[in-house]
Amino acid sequence: MPTHSLQLLKEGNFRFRNNLKKNRDHLEVLNQLKDNQSPFAAIVSCMDSRTAAELIFDQGFGDIFSIRIAGNVVTNGILGSLEYATSVVASKLIVVLGHTNCGAIKGACNHIHLGHLTELIEKIEPAVVEVAKTINQERDYELFEYEVTKTNVLLGAKEITERSPIIEALVTEGKVGVVPAIYNIATGKVQFLALD
């Protein structure tokens, strides 16, 4: 169930924040998983070195699919990976995980263009445009940046079901949940958001 999978992540984040990580025999787990895997969730997070989903949610080998890309944006490759996770391996939950103090978000807010990174930054710009309708970037940059982070994960979560009929069908049937979230790198806390 998606709700059970979400609860496992919440419990894992609690352990992480309180330095109560589970004691795991990683080699034994790998031995058990050598022929098969069944991760309960797929997490699309940023490539930032401070945002390793396995650590943030105190998960071990075989527990989650960790899909990382700058700005936690949704690309065709990300969608294909999520379709594999949900329709082939039967993961029950997709989390689009943004984070505070994100370089890709800062780049989008400041309209930075840099080689191939430009394409990723441009995928965040709809969030920048949306937030600029209500918040003055120059007057309150910190709030602006946070709201772009939040809007980016909300738009990313919606994009997954809008662009993937496979995932949309699984969500409609109640077999898979899609949840946006923000990880605060200063506190370690993950805030799960509701989709509109």
Side-chain angles (χ1 to χ4, degrees):
M1 297 294 298
T3 53
H4 178 65
S5 296
L6 181 58
Q7 187 58 35
L8 290 175
L9 293 181
K10 288 179 178 180
E11 291 168 3
N13 183 242
F14 177 84
R15 290 192 304 272
F16 169 72
R17 292 190 333 265
N18 291 281
N19 207 23
L20 300 169
K21 70 179 183 173
K22 279 187 177 178
N23 188 18
R24 296 176 172 92
D25 182 337
H26 293 296
L27 292 177
E28 176 57 29
V29 171
L30 277 177
N31 186 51
Q32 293 170 4
L33 296 172
K34 68 180 182 257
D35 298 321
N36 202 335
Q37 65 172 335
S38 56
F40 66 87
I43 300 172
V44 179
S45 63
C46 186
M47 64 176 274
D48 189 295
S49 64
R50 302 163 292 180
T51 64
E54 293 86 350
L55 298 177
I56 293 167
F57 294 111
D58 188 33
Q59 300 300 313
F61 288 117
D63 292 331
I64 61 171
F65 283 113
S66 183
I67 307 168
R68 300 181 71 177
I69 186 169
N72 44 272
V73 298
V74 178
T75 64
N76 287 338
I78 299 294
L79 282 175
S81 298
L82 292 172
E83 288 171 345
Y84 172 80
T86 53
S87 67
V88 177
V89 183
S91 297
K92 305 295 182 210
L93 184 69
I94 295 171
V95 177
V96 180
L97 183 66
H99 68 96
T100 58
N101 201 20
C102 176
I105 295 291
K106 290 177 188 294
C109 289
N110 295 302
H111 311 289
I112 301 298
H113 291 91
L114 176 66
H116 293 286
L117 182 60
T118 302
E119 185 180 340
L120 291 176
I121 297 290
E122 287 173 348
K123 290 191 73 56
I124 302 169
E125 287 180 355
V128 175
V129 170
E130 186 64 31
V131 173
K133 293 175 184 175
T134 56
I135 299 173
N136 184 305
Q137 181 176 357
E138 292 175 11
R139 219 176 312 137
D140 197 345
Y141 183 79
E142 281 187 26
L143 177 61
F144 186 86
E145 185 182 308
Y146 176 79
E147 289 299 322
V148 170
T149 300
K150 181 178 174 182
T151 303
N152 186 51
V153 295
L154 290 166
L155 292 175
K158 288 180 184 175
E159 184 179 356
I160 289 166
T161 54
E162 288 172 357
R163 289 185 56 204
S164 172
I166 293 169
I167 295 172
E168 181 185 33
L170 291 168
V171 169
T172 300
E173 294 166 11
K175 294 179 179 176
V176 171
V178 181
V179 179
I182 299 175
Y183 166 60
N184 186 317
I185 60 171
T187 65
K189 184 170 177 60
V190 174
Q191 176 190 8
F192 292 95
L193 307 172
L195 280 171
D196 295 335

